[in-house]
Amino acid sequence: MSLGTVFLVLTLIWAAIYALNYVLKSSRTHSLLPSTATARHTQRRIWTESTTTVVLKGLHLRVHTTAWNLSHDLLSTSLASSQKARLRRVLKQFYDLGPVVSLMGMLIALGFLATAGSTSVMSLAHKVWVSASDPSTAPPEAPNILTKRSIDPFRGTQSHRSDSFIKPIIPGVTVPLSHLPVILAAVFLGQIVHELGHAIAAAIESLPILSVGASFTLFFPSAFVTLSTAALDSLIPRARARVVTAGPFHNLLLWCILVAVGYTHVGNIFWSIMYRDVSVLGRVVVSVDTQSPLRRYLPSGSVITALDDTLLGSQNASYDGWFSYLNQDRHDQSLGWCAALPENSNSCCSGSGTPGLSCFVSLKSPSIRGCLDPVSILSHFNSAKRCAADTECLTTQQCIKPHASEQLLRITVQGTSLENPDVILWR
């Protein structure tokens, strides 16, 4: 997903919102504009019922309703009854953990931020000091752990990796931009759980709510519960602390539940409804760098099943064939391909060959070399027979493989339909 796609989707969403506003406004005979003289002319109420009001202003949509006030009042009345006195006492003791947990969480978060900030400042100061004092002593850039199979002229640069324990989630920077809808949905769900905590704690203290609602600003959704400030201030400090901290306390409980679900693998039951486990097949392509030539050949959602002859799929969750294979210095292949090496055509093996040809070497000893088109031999366009010796090939063919200096990598990929695998040849 690109920034252009995000902009187009947001434009369509807001166009649909304003189109709905226009239709609803035109379908009513009475004016939908605020009648008070102090109301701003840019603010339009799409509709106003006895319980729900939807307000549209610029790129801000706000919905608030009093429809849930009666249910909240009934809950408060029920908890205040003598029959529920024990339950109310237990709930108060439970929500007393909110202020304690919130205070501890705030201190821990401040400690993390202070540590991360000081580490970043010290690291930057050290680099500036070393470079300014003696540029020749500045540490060289570490090579990327995933190099193009030890090609001598290639020197990869260190990808941006942070050793900090704080990993920011920035769509398009630290995570793919396509994750933005899922992130926003998760944030909105977290806010609903947060506001539900305030509402339940308010019911325990017999504190009425004025309204509940949600808003959508530009692309960011949010939820809210409106409480009476005067009524909240009238509570004793302990009760007021329970109401104020119930929101983050609920978020912590949600996090604990999600961790437990992930740890026990109970969530796999629900994930199986929408997703398919392809770990036995290989590695799923989540995104490819926009500057990489492989971007057009590796669409998101496709599955890389093999690198050369190494299969990436495994039943063992701890096995990572991708990193173990790419971290090797050399990748000698035991099997070759049956093909005929042209005579007196080995100029590419000395570095002065025709573009598009690669140096191949026979498996027999003494070996012979020759130049061939690697695509016609190694890719899916050709069904060249695999071999371990010349005896397995035709009399006019030899069992050959790419010379080690070529550093060719065969990437076997299956599309999103998991059918018809392709072989991408990467130099």
Side-chain angles (χ1 to χ4, degrees):
M1 180 184 295
S2 62
L3 288 175
T5 303
V6 174
F7 179 78
L8 177 60
V9 171
L10 288 177
T11 301
L12 294 176
I13 290 175
W14 281 107
I17 292 175
Y18 270 91
L20 180 62
N21 174 33
Y22 178 80
V23 171
L24 292 175
K25 185 179 66 172
S26 302
S27 63
R28 293 176 178 269
T29 57
H30 61 278
S31 175
L32 299 180
L33 295 176
S35 57
T36 59
T38 58
R40 297 180 180 178
H41 68 280
T42 57
Q43 177 171 305
R44 298 177 179 179
R45 294 189 178 185
I46 299 179
W47 71 80
T48 304
E49 302 292 349
S50 59
T51 59
T52 304
T53 301
V54 181
V55 178
L56 178 62
K57 180 182 179 182
L59 296 180
H60 176 73
L61 178 66
R62 178 184 175 92
V63 182
H64 56 94
T65 179
T66 59
W68 298 98
N69 289 17
L70 180 59
S71 300
H72 186 269
D73 292 340
L74 292 176
L75 177 61
S76 299
T77 303
S78 175
L79 292 175
S81 64
S82 57
Q83 293 86 354
K84 300 293 181 64
R86 182 176 181 180
L87 176 60
R88 185 181 185 185
R89 183 169 61 254
V90 172
L91 288 176
K92 284 186 176 181
Q93 293 174 352
F94 178 71
Y95 280 94
D96 276 336
L97 295 174
V100 178
V101 171
S102 298
L103 179 60
M104 293 177 58
M106 181 183 66
L107 294 177
I108 293 174
L110 290 175
F112 280 170
L113 290 176
T115 303
S118 60
T119 301
S120 300
V121 171
M122 292 176 61
S123 176
L124 179 61
H126 174 72
K127 292 180 179 180
V128 173
W129 173 263
V130 171
S131 300
S133 58
D134 187 1
S136 62
T137 61
E141 291 288 341
N144 195 327
I145 61 172
L146 300 182
T147 63
K148 292 203 296 185
R149 305 181 60 194
S150 304
I151 300 178
D152 291 337
F154 175 78
R155 292 294 181 268
T157 57
Q158 178 73 17
S159 59
H160 178 71
R161 296 190 304 166
S162 175
D163 295 330
S164 173
F165 41 76
I166 298 178
K167 306 296 182 183
I169 300 178
I170 307 175
V173 179
T174 60
V175 297
L177 196 59
S178 58
H179 290 188
L180 182 60
V182 178
I183 294 173
L184 293 178
V187 170
F188 187 56
L189 175 61
Q191 287 185 331
I192 292 176
V193 174
H194 180 100
E195 298 302 327
L196 184 62
H198 291 307
I200 294 177
I204 296 173
E205 305 299 335
S206 299
L207 181 67
I209 62 175
L210 300 181
S211 65
V212 299
S215 65
F216 184 65
T217 304
L218 187 56
F219 65 89
F220 195 82
S222 63
F224 60 88
V225 171
T226 306
L227 302 174
S228 172
T229 303
L232 182 62
D233 292 339
S234 65
L235 297 176
I236 61 175
R238 184 176 179 180
R240 186 163 60 250
R242 283 195 291 262
V243 176
V244 171
T245 60
F249 185 48
H250 268 220
N251 289 132
L252 177 62
L253 294 177
L254 175 63
W255 178 80
C256 293
I257 293 173
L258 294 178
V259 170
V261 169
Y263 182 78
T264 58
H265 302 288
V266 175
N268 293 345
I269 300 175
F270 304 98
W271 288 119
S272 61
I273 300 175
M274 300 178 292
Y275 294 91
R276 177 182 177 183
D277 185 7
V278 294
S279 58
V280 295
L281 298 178
R283 299 291 292 266
V284 178
V285 177
V286 177
S287 65
V288 181
D289 189 90
T290 56
Q291 304 300 322
S292 173
L294 288 174
R295 183 177 178 86
R296 59 181 297 187
Y297 302 104
L298 295 176
S300 298
S302 58
V303 180
I304 300 178
T305 58
L307 297 176
D308 289 334
D309 293 332
T310 300
L311 298 178
L312 300 183
S314 174
Q315 296 281 1
N316 185 4
S318 62
Y319 171 75
D320 194 339
W322 176 273
F323 283 98
S324 62
Y325 184 75
L326 293 179
N327 280 333
Q328 297 177 17
D329 291 335
R330 299 186 63 86
H331 305 88
D332 293 328
Q333 302 181 60
S334 58
L335 294 178
W337 288 262
C338 289
L341 283 175
E343 298 181 359
N344 302 322
S345 176
N346 58 2
S347 59
C348 64
C349 298
S350 58
S352 59
T354 304
L357 299 182
S358 296
C359 180
F360 283 80
V361 59
S362 63
L363 270 63
K364 71 176 183 179
S365 181
S367 63
I368 59 176
R369 298 181 181 185
C371 298
L372 290 171
D373 179 9
V375 175
S376 62
I377 302 239
L378 307 180
S379 73
H380 67 288
F381 298 108
N382 184 274
S383 56
K385 179 183 176 182
R386 301 300 302 271
C387 57
D390 288 353
T391 56
E392 301 177 12
C393 303
L394 300 176
T395 55
T396 58
Q397 296 178 331
Q398 298 87 29
C399 188
I400 63 174
K401 66 178 181 179
H403 191 269
S405 61
E406 291 295 338
Q407 298 295 318
L408 295 171
L409 178 66
R410 292 180 293 115
I411 306 174
T412 305
V413 183
Q414 285 186 295
T416 54
S417 60
L418 301 182
E419 297 178 355
N420 301 324
D422 292 333
V423 177
I424 300 172
L425 199 57
W426 173 249
R427 184 188 296 271

